[in-house]
Amino acid sequence: MIKRVYFDHNATTPPHENVVKGLGESLENWGNPSSIHWAGRKAKGELREARKSVARFLGVDPLELIFTSGGSEANNLAIQGALGFQRLLGRDEIVVSSVEHPSLLKTAEMMTQFGYRVHKIPVNREGELDLEFLLNRLSERTALVSVMWANNETGHVFPVQQVSEMAHNVGSLMHCDFVQGLGKTTLSLSSLNLDMASLSGHKFYALKGVGALYVKKGTNLSSHIFGGSQERGRRAGTENLLAIASLGRVCELQSSLALEIKKVEELRDYLEDRVFNAVSDVRVTGQKNLRIGNTSHLSFEGVDGESLLMNLDLKGIALSSGAACSSGSREPSPILLAMGFAPWEAQQTLRVSLGWSNTKDEVDYFVEELVKTVSRLRLIRATRTVLDGQV
């Protein structure tokens, strides 16, 4: 029997037991929340309670939340929905970090077709934003600044509060992709002083197919999906009640959040110590900087990351060599290239992202198989190098 170990929680998380237990109850509320009869009212009630639960967890008002199909839609809605109003004020420039999720970067780049200008904030090899670049690009023409709370590949946490203050000083809106922050920090969204923030349920032990956009009261936002009046007219379409309810149930676990965050961070530190003691020529990207506690981005000199990933998968260990949305691509990670990694360096990396159910025994098994796999791959590489030299 192959042991199964899941170390890819930044890609998606398994549904929490509270979610699984509540599926039957939610399935009974099969009515359309927009209907006024008894079936619709039951569904509407569950939708309302889920919204309240998520809002309490985030420290915001329930009416400041727009449920979406996920983080990508929330990012699209934030950019497309806010910029039209900003243009009326003579603001037509967007500032984003160069390591944002593709759903945000590609949406921002799409807006250049409509006359908007995009500035991308450089990020160094240790994951630090060039705040001087940001300061020099901010002006009365800045419509929106968007910087993620934490990077999905490397785990770096960005100074969102500081960036938000800089953006607001020139009258710009501030948006944050908070997808990797949900469930990995006890900070409330209100404490970050944001105008908008994107969320995704399946990164936080809820079902796939649900996300949310936090929109601070007073922020003008137009819908980019037209139809009915759901979500107070800001996102048309019948709500995915089953998925929304699952997110509400996970958010009811707020009392145990700090303990889970601490436990996972200690396990991540244990993993890195074990790897350093067992494997030579390995480094952690941005190890001395602030990172989310579950993520370790490792570089192995002389080892192809995809080969390492596939060999460990054969041993039942699920990991990633980058963002899940780019899985299968033979190209180096755009995130790492933007950070200044050479293409060959970017292809020597592995992302480990832990979750609430992971254990030390799983880490020990991972390190045991990692040592054997890295040694074998390096030996193969060395042998090929010798043979090539003899030809």
Side-chain angles (χ1 to χ4, degrees):
M1 292 289 293
I2 297 177
K3 188 171 183 176
R4 298 293 186 187
V5 176
Y6 187 75
F7 283 172
D8 198 18
H9 289 80
N10 284 6
T12 196
T13 54
H16 192 273
E17 61 180 353
N18 278 21
V19 170
V20 177
K21 290 178 181 178
L23 286 176
E25 179 182 340
S26 294
L27 284 170
E28 292 179 3
N29 294 328
W30 43 262
N32 189 323
S34 296
S35 299
I36 62 174
H37 48 60
W38 61 266
R41 291 196 301 272
K42 284 185 64 177
K44 187 75 170 182
E46 183 162 22
L47 176 63
R48 184 182 299 111
E49 290 306 308
R51 194 185 305 276
K52 289 179 179 178
S53 179
V54 177
R56 280 194 302 268
F57 186 88
L58 297 171
V60 302
D61 189 282
L63 297 182
E64 293 178 314
L65 293 176
I66 303 171
F67 285 120
T68 67
S69 63
S72 290
E73 185 192 333
N75 281 339
N76 273 262
L77 176 57
I79 294 178
Q80 297 184 57
L83 286 182
F85 289 98
Q86 289 294 88
R87 192 157 205 171
L88 295 175
L89 301 175
R91 295 177 177 271
D92 57 3
E93 296 189 3
I94 310 165
V95 185
V96 300
S97 87
S98 58
V99 294
E100 294 296 314
H101 189 271
S103 63
L104 194 138
L105 283 177
K106 290 183 178 180
T107 304
E109 291 166 358
M110 181 271 293
M111 298 306 294
T112 62
Q113 301 175 28
F114 303 99
Y116 291 90
R117 185 179 183 187
V118 178
H119 303 285
K120 295 181 182 178
I121 311 168
V123 177
N124 66 20
R125 286 179 65 95
E126 299 305 310
E128 297 168 319
L129 284 175
D130 187 339
L131 294 179
E132 185 175 352
F133 176 95
L134 169 61
L135 183 62
N136 291 333
R137 296 304 184 280
L138 292 174
S139 72
E140 69 280 356
R141 300 195 69 88
T142 307
L144 176 71
V145 177
S146 184
V147 172
M148 57 181 18
W149 187 78
N151 186 264
N152 48 303
E153 288 193 34
T154 64
H156 292 106
V157 176
F158 296 113
V160 170
Q161 287 169 301
Q162 184 179 357
V163 172
S164 181
E165 182 178 348
M166 295 169 68
H168 289 152
N169 283 342
V170 297
S172 170
L173 292 177
M174 178 67 194
H175 167 260
C176 177
D177 181 339
F178 200 70
V179 165
Q180 292 299 336
L182 188 60
K184 297 182 179 122
T185 177
T186 56
L187 287 172
S188 66
L189 282 185
S190 56
S191 70
L192 296 177
N193 193 25
L194 303 170
D195 299 296
M196 297 178 289
S198 300
L199 311 164
S200 178
H202 77 98
K203 308 289 187 178
F204 185 44
Y205 306 96
L207 297 179
K208 296 175 181 66
V210 61
L213 180 66
Y214 158 74
V215 183
K216 186 178 180 179
K217 284 183 179 178
T219 303
N220 290 316
L221 187 84
S222 62
S223 176
H224 73 133
I225 297 179
F226 300 99
S229 59
Q230 293 90 348
E231 298 301 298
R232 302 179 72 201
R234 296 174 297 180
R235 199 275 186 180
T238 302
E239 298 89 348
N240 184 356
L241 186 57
L242 189 66
I244 292 172
S246 76
L247 180 56
R249 287 190 171 88
V250 177
C251 288
E252 292 169 0
L253 304 171
Q254 189 166 23
S255 60
S256 62
L257 180 63
L259 181 62
E260 295 291 357
I261 292 173
K262 186 175 185 294
K263 183 181 71 173
V264 170
E265 185 172 1
E266 289 175 348
L267 189 62
R268 192 275 309 274
D269 292 345
Y270 174 74
L271 181 148
E272 290 183 354
D273 288 342
R274 287 290 326 271
V275 170
F276 276 126
N277 290 328
V279 183
S280 62
D281 298 318
V282 59
R283 69 179 297 272
V284 176
T285 306
Q287 185 178 20
K288 295 181 180 180
N289 291 340
L290 187 61
R291 296 178 289 154
I292 44 177
N294 80 315
T295 304
S296 182
H297 187 261
L298 305 168
S299 297
F300 299 88
E301 186 176 331
V303 178
D304 177 71
E306 288 291 334
S307 298
L308 184 57
L309 177 70
M310 290 186 289
N311 275 269
L312 290 172
D313 181 50
L314 292 174
K315 298 298 181 178
I317 304 170
L319 300 143
S320 173
S321 59
C325 58
S326 301
S327 179
S329 172
R330 296 294 298 172
E331 296 300 315
S333 161
I335 299 298
L336 299 183
L337 295 181
M339 291 173 63
F341 281 63
W344 60 269
E345 290 179 302
Q347 291 177 324
Q348 294 183 157
T349 63
L350 200 67
R351 181 187 70 183
V352 181
S353 50
L354 306 176
W356 292 358
S357 62
N358 289 137
T359 65
K360 279 191 174 181
D361 286 342
E362 291 178 330
V363 170
D364 291 337
Y365 174 67
F366 161 68
V367 174
E368 177 186 339
E369 295 300 328
L370 179 70
V371 169
K372 292 187 288 188
T373 305
V374 168
S375 297
R376 184 169 64 253
L377 292 175
R378 283 176 173 168
L379 178 60
I380 292 172
R381 182 186 179 96
T383 302
R384 285 175 178 171
T385 300
V386 171
L387 293 176
D388 289 343
Q390 293 175 350
V391 175

